[in-house]
Amino acid sequence: MSWAIERNLGFEPTDREFEKLGYDIESRVPGTGKLRFIEVKGRITGAETITVTRNEILYSLNKPDDFILAIVEFAVDDTHRVHYVRRPFPA
């Protein structure tokens, strides 16, 4: 889902979810080779918390300009919205 959004934004995403790197999607910026690192978290509309791992927080702190927390908000009518949060964990 979030990789489709990345592709629609013009980036080149690769799924890394099962590699336990501290992020789920590695997204290349065309023409530059620069990478964006995206951690995807889902939640139901109205939920007050999101659970993240220590590894995810550490990776975000090591790559603060390149890390994005993508929050996928699921509504009761089976629709969803994606919110991108930059620098989600202040140093």
Side-chain angles (χ1 to χ4, degrees):
M1 171 184 324
S2 292
W3 59 266
I5 291 170
E6 280 294 289
R7 189 164 283 129
N8 288 338
L9 290 172
F11 300 106
E12 300 166 353
T14 302
D15 187 348
R16 301 278 192 222
E17 178 181 4
F18 299 107
E19 297 175 45
K20 305 295 183 202
L21 299 169
Y23 58 90
D24 295 322
I25 299 170
E26 191 175 275
S27 192
R28 186 173 305 282
V29 179
T32 69
K34 184 175 176 170
L35 295 175
R36 297 155 43 101
F37 305 99
I38 303 167
E39 175 57 32
V40 181
K41 295 293 182 182
R43 66 178 227 164
I44 296 173
T45 297
E48 294 184 14
T49 60
I50 294 172
T51 301
V52 294
T53 68
R54 180 178 190 270
N55 193 34
E56 292 161 354
I57 293 170
L58 290 174
Y59 199 89
S60 76
L61 295 174
N62 285 326
K63 295 284 189 179
D65 294 330
D66 304 316
F67 186 89
I68 298 168
L69 178 62
I71 301 170
V72 182
E73 181 181 1
F74 294 95
V76 293
D77 62 359
D78 288 334
T79 60
H80 67 276
R81 294 187 308 174
V82 179
H83 308 274
Y84 275 13
V85 180
R86 292 197 172 265
R87 296 184 181 256
F89 313 109

